[in-house]
C-alpha cells in the first residue's frame, strides 16, 4: 500500500541546512521524524489534559478508600 505524500516548503536556518547537507542527512526523512514526534507529543498532552479530571477523581477515590482489592495483595 503506497502512502500518499505531499510536497511542502520548510524554512530552516541556513547554517542548519548546510550542516545537514554536509552530513548527508535526508531532509525529508528528518523533517518527517521531527513532525511525527511533535504530533505524538501534542496528542499525548491533549489526552492528558482531556482526562485530567478523571485522574484527579481516581486519585481522590484511592486516597479516601484505598486501592481496590488491596486486601488480596501479597506484597
Amino acid at each position: 500500500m503506497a502512502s500518499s505524500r505531499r510536497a511542502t516548503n520548510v524554512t530552516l536556518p541556513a547554517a542548519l541546512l548546510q550542516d545537514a547537507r554536509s552530513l548527508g542527512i535526508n531532509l525529508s526523512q528528518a523533517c518527517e521524524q521531527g513532525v511525527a514526534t511533535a504530533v505524538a507529543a501534542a496528542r499525548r498532552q491533549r489526552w492528558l489534559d482531556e482526562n485530567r479530571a478523571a485522574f484527579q477523581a481516581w486519585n481522590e477515590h484511592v486516597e479516601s478508600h484505598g486501592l481496590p482489592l488491596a486486601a488480596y495483595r501479597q506484597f
Side-chain angles (χ1 to χ4, degrees):
M1 171 177 11
S3 64
S4 61
R5 302 183 76 77
R6 296 186 105 169
T8 187
N9 293 325
V10 177
T11 303
L12 301 170
L16 180 61
L17 180 59
Q18 184 178 14
D19 287 345
R21 285 184 175 159
S22 70
L23 294 169
I25 294 173
N26 181 315
L27 292 174
S28 292
Q29 287 178 349
C31 288
E32 183 176 350
Q33 289 171 353
V35 171
T37 299
V39 166
R43 283 184 176 159
R44 178 183 184 279
Q45 188 59 52
R46 178 184 289 172
W47 186 87
L48 288 171
D49 293 343
E50 289 172 352
N51 291 284
R52 190 170 315 282
F55 298 141
Q56 185 61 35
W58 176 250
N59 289 336
E60 290 172 4
H61 176 81
V62 170
E63 285 180 24
S64 298
H65 304 286
L67 289 171
L69 306 175
Y72 303 102
R73 291 174 67 173
Q74 303 208 4
F75 53 92

